[in-house]
Amino acid sequence: VQLQASGGGLVQAGGSLRLSCAASGRTFSRSAVGWFRQAPGKEREFVAAISWGGDSTSYVDSVLGRFTISRDNAKNLVYLQMNSLRPEDTAVYFCAADSWSAVLGRRPYYWGQGTQVTVSS
């Protein structure tokens, strides 16, 4: 599985962005996908995950009610809709794929390159 994240940018606090993760590989539709982020000087953090069928999702508490993860297996795409953005959401965002347990365990095997999200106050 090869992954490529896009959609980052600069936005004011309270604004919205939608990140996309484009995937290639025959096993993508059977893989869970997660979004992770890393802010300067901080460890990489789990943000959200979606099961291969899209029927299960998981979020870190800090983004509950603000971020929504979804996927379109026909297009090999996973999205992260981010609303009500805060300055503390500023980070490089990565998408990753593997089994559901591996993604929730913060140890997925396949990673894409990151996309920068900057939220100004």
Side-chain angles (χ1 to χ4, degrees):
V1 177
Q2 293 181 321
L3 306 167
Q4 183 170 353
S6 62
L10 173 63
V11 64
Q12 289 187 331
S16 298
L17 282 174
R18 188 177 79 160
L19 304 184
S20 297
C21 178
S24 62
R26 291 180 295 175
T27 60
F28 172 74
S29 62
R30 293 290 179 175
S31 299
V33 175
W35 285 97
F36 297 76
R37 64 187 180 187
Q38 187 165 20
K42 295 187 177 181
E43 293 187 354
R44 188 164 56 198
E45 171 187 42
F46 168 82
V47 177
I50 189 166
S51 61
W52 69 267
D55 54 327
S56 295
T57 57
S58 180
Y59 298 91
V60 67
D61 287 349
S62 61
V63 308
L64 275 172
R66 299 189 300 123
F67 291 10
T68 302
I69 189 171
S70 62
R71 67 190 296 163
D72 184 341
N73 284 342
K75 297 181 179 179
N76 281 5
L77 287 169
V78 173
Y79 304 102
L80 185 68
Q81 178 67 44
M82 305 186 296
N83 299 328
S84 303
L85 282 162
R86 305 168 180 169
E88 54 264 39
D89 294 318
T90 295
V92 178
Y93 283 70
F94 302 86
C95 58
D98 205 327
S99 67
W100 182 242
S101 60
V103 173
L104 289 189
R106 283 61 167 162
R107 49 180 178 82
Y109 184 79
Y110 301 99
W111 288 87
Q113 94 295 349
T115 184
Q116 176 71 47
V117 172
T118 303
V119 184
S120 62
S121 57

